[in-house]
Amino acid sequence: QVQLVESGGGLVQAGGSLRLSCAASGRTFSTSAMAWFRQAPGKEREFVAFITPNSGYTNYADSVKGRFTISRDNARNTMYLQMNSLKPEDTAIYYCSAGRFYAEISSHYDYWGQGTQVTVSS
């Protein structure tokens, strides 16, 4: 079992930055693929980024590539999402997830946090 708790969301102006954190409990964090997804009002949940257990491979949605950076600290059981050059279209609830395999598909992930709201004003 893995329990995930996101933090770091908030209100920021366009062009600003935020860093989201995802704290995990459980013994399997260091062997789990981790990902961030987001869901805007009226839209389906969409993939943002994933990272492999040893941080050897990351992948990003085209919409955030070059602006967002995913990372993890297995010693602290924590994953991060550094978000720079934020745009109003980045406004969404951001969810962290954990699973055995990395993928861009939400159904591949077994555990989810409760989400943290990110609002970007223009």
Side-chain angles (χ1 to χ4, degrees):
Q1 284 278 358
V2 177
Q3 293 182 326
L4 305 172
V5 179
E6 302 96 335
S7 62
L11 174 64
V12 64
Q13 288 188 332
S17 299
L18 282 174
R19 188 175 84 153
L20 304 184
S21 298
C22 173
S25 63
R27 295 178 293 176
T28 60
F29 177 82
S30 63
T31 60
S32 297
M34 301 292 295
W36 289 97
F37 287 80
R38 67 187 182 184
Q39 188 166 17
K43 295 187 177 181
E44 293 189 353
R45 191 170 297 190
E46 66 174 2
F47 167 75
V48 175
F50 69 65
I51 186 167
T52 53
N54 64 357
S55 302
Y57 180 54
T58 59
N59 194 36
Y60 298 88
D62 287 343
S63 58
V64 307
K65 204 169 291 185
R67 300 187 298 122
F68 290 11
T69 303
I70 189 171
S71 62
R72 64 191 295 165
D73 184 339
N74 287 345
R76 289 184 166 83
N77 276 16
T78 304
M79 176 179 67
Y80 306 97
L81 185 69
Q82 178 66 44
M83 305 186 295
N84 298 329
S85 302
L86 283 161
K87 304 175 181 180
E89 51 264 44
D90 294 318
T91 295
I93 299 174
Y94 283 70
Y95 298 90
C96 69
S97 59
R100 290 179 296 168
F101 308 106
Y102 59 87
E104 298 181 15
I105 304 172
S106 60
S107 59
H108 281 224
Y109 294 89
D110 304 308
Y111 304 101
W112 293 83
Q114 82 290 349
T116 185
Q117 176 71 48
V118 171
T119 303
V120 185
S121 63
S122 57

